[in-house]
Amino acid sequence: MNAADKDGAHVGRIGRSPLRWHLALLTVWTLAWFIAAERHGGVSWHYIKNGEQLLFGQVPGGGLALYVNHPELQIGPVSFLVAGLFAPFPAGLGEKLAEATMSGLGLYMLVLIGRTAAEHYRGSGLNHKRLQQRVLIAGLAFIPMWVEVSVRFAHLDDVLALFFTTLAVRSLVRGNATALGVILALAVDSKPWAVAFLPLLLALPKSTWLRSCAVVVGVVAVAWLPFYLTHMNTMNAAHFTIPNQAASSLRWFGATGSVTPWWDRPAQMALGLGLGAWAVRRGRWPAMVLLAADARIVLDPSVYTYYNASILLGTVIWDAIGQRRLVPWVSWIALITLYGSALFVPSDSTRGLIRLAFAVGSAAYVLFSPVRPPRRGRLVRTADTSAHVPAQATGVHDRPHQTRAA
């Protein structure tokens, strides 16, 4: 570790404690939003609870026949297994503990993103203080949307999918191909739409692709195959449709029917995978999470505000790792555009157009905006591969952190 990195390990600490100022402020911010949302929280927790009871046979019609009898539960088995951790508690207390735990995961994800960015740019003269400021400012935008998914709606499946994806980004930067495959598979096992995050595998060296893909297939098969092999009709659950809401961007593509069009889910998946692969090919893998989330919101028939949590996670990753501007304005544009329009724009059609414009605009920005490469590359520490993770752009507004040699 060079002098700058050693100095960065102490930047921003509160006195002699290991806690840093930006994380203390984000903790207070998270607690404030948790208190505000908890009174009206748990809107969808009954789906998680019902699925967990069905999976473990506590109510009839579940077990391995879960998805045949309840196709409306578009939730992965790992989410139901995790929900079982809160089952021993009284119903009300278990729900509140789950909401608090999910809120804490969002705060921990910001910590992981900051550490991942520092590790990715190690040896490039990173200004650690500016990185902490970026994480703080982006985190202030991220937390309100995270509380939407974790507390107000209590969607444990979405929370786990995004948490595992954050861990996957960290594994990628560390060059651990096996861990990356396992973690991405767990994301898919928590929520099927996390398949759109699989292009992260392409950012690994080609020599590890086969092994990583085999790991993903194996872990996904362990979770899902028992349901499909014992009840072949489980496949029909993939065709479950939901109402096409009036504010959906789908209506701007001519899909004016009352339910999900037949082509929507395949197109949504293909768009997310395609954009993610394109980002990796252009050497901009930190944009991949945002692009997958863009594909989701632009082609989804629903417009629930908790969808925006995946967008904000994508913008935070881009703002912290994909670029090094001091002000992470992409995250704040996402919050104001998507959450602000949901609160203050009365027209359904206009809200759909705003969502479409944000998805197209943000995708174009992260794919084509001019960037400057780092001053020098960094050899990624590896657990089971010695390859380089593709270098990312360095913004022109991040001055190197200067330290004096001891």
Side-chain angles (χ1 to χ4, degrees), residues 73-105:
L73 296 177
Q74 302 283 297
I75 301 168
V78 167
S79 298
F80 296 137
L81 290 174
V82 174
L85 298 176
F86 305 98
F89 300 97
L93 177 60
E95 179 183 330
K96 297 299 183 292
L97 288 175
E99 293 170 0
T101 301
M102 290 187 285
S103 297
L105 282 181

Side-chain angles (χ1 to χ4, degrees), residues 27 229 337 371:
T27 300
L229 294 180
T337 302
V371 290

Side-chain angles (χ1 to χ4, degrees), residues 10 13 50 91 93 176 182 189 273 281 325-326 377:
H10 300 280
R13 288 188 176 182
N50 186 38
L93 177 60
N176 194 328
V182 171
D189 293 341
L273 292 171
R281 182 176 178 81
R325 293 180 181 273
L326 175 59

Side-chain angles (χ1 to χ4, degrees), residues 130-394:
R130 283 175 172 258
L131 173 61
Q132 292 174 8
Q133 292 171 342
R134 283 200 299 275
V135 172
L136 171 61
I137 299 171
L140 293 175
F142 170 77
I143 290 300
M145 288 295 90
W146 184 255
V147 169
E148 280 285 298
V149 69
S150 63
V151 180
R152 185 184 171 200
F153 286 92
H155 267 257
L156 179 62
D157 49 341
D158 289 273
V159 166
L160 289 176
L162 297 176
F163 173 64
F164 285 130
T165 301
T166 305
L167 291 178
V169 170
R170 185 155 177 79
S171 296
L172 173 61
V173 168
R174 290 185 163 188
N176 194 328
T178 301
L180 177 60
V182 171
I183 294 170
L184 283 177
L186 289 175
V188 176
D189 293 341
S190 301
K191 188 73 172 182
W193 64 257
V195 166
F197 298 135
L198 292 182
L200 277 173
L201 295 171
L202 300 178
L204 290 167
K206 292 183 179 180
S207 60
T208 67
W209 284 1
L210 181 60
R211 177 178 37 152
S212 300
C213 290
V215 170
V216 171
V217 171
V219 177
V220 170
V222 168
W224 290 98
L225 272 185
F227 299 96
Y228 285 90
L229 294 180
T230 57
H231 298 82
M232 299 303 293
N233 290 337
T234 298
M235 185 66 69
N236 295 331
H239 303 290
F240 181 76
T241 60
I242 59 178
N244 184 16
Q245 298 181 3
S248 172
S249 298
L250 268 179
R251 295 182 176 269
W252 286 92
F253 294 102
T256 57
S258 60
V259 296
T260 310
W262 66 268
W263 51 265
D264 180 62
R265 295 305 186 190
Q268 190 180 46
M269 198 66 64
L271 180 61
L273 292 171
L275 288 174
W278 193 8
V280 173
R281 182 176 178 81
R282 289 183 57 80
R284 303 187 181 201
W285 65 261
M288 205 228 69
V289 174
L290 174 58
L291 293 170
D294 279 340
R296 183 190 185 192
I297 67 167
V298 80
L299 289 178
D300 204 280
S302 292
V303 294
Y304 296 112
T305 51
Y306 72 83
Y307 287 8
N308 298 335
S310 59
I311 292 288
L312 266 295
L313 175 62
T315 61
V316 171
I317 292 174
W318 173 257
D319 281 329
I321 304 176
Q323 64 179 6
R324 291 170 65 175
R325 293 180 181 273
L326 175 59
V327 179
W329 56 271
V330 181
S331 294
W332 277 94
I333 287 179
L335 177 68
I336 295 170
T337 302
L338 300 176
Y339 197 37
S341 63
L343 294 177
F344 303 112
V345 176
S347 169
D348 290 332
S349 179
T350 303
R351 290 201 301 272
L353 181 59
I354 292 174
R355 187 175 296 103
L356 173 60
F358 173 84
V360 173
S362 61
Y365 174 75
V366 297
L367 284 172
F368 301 110
S369 61
V371 290
R372 176 184 293 180
R375 293 188 303 164
R376 61 183 182 272
R378 180 185 63 80
L379 182 63
V380 179
R381 290 186 302 156
T382 59
D384 56 2
T385 180
S386 60
H388 290 275
V389 171
Q392 297 307 307
T394 301

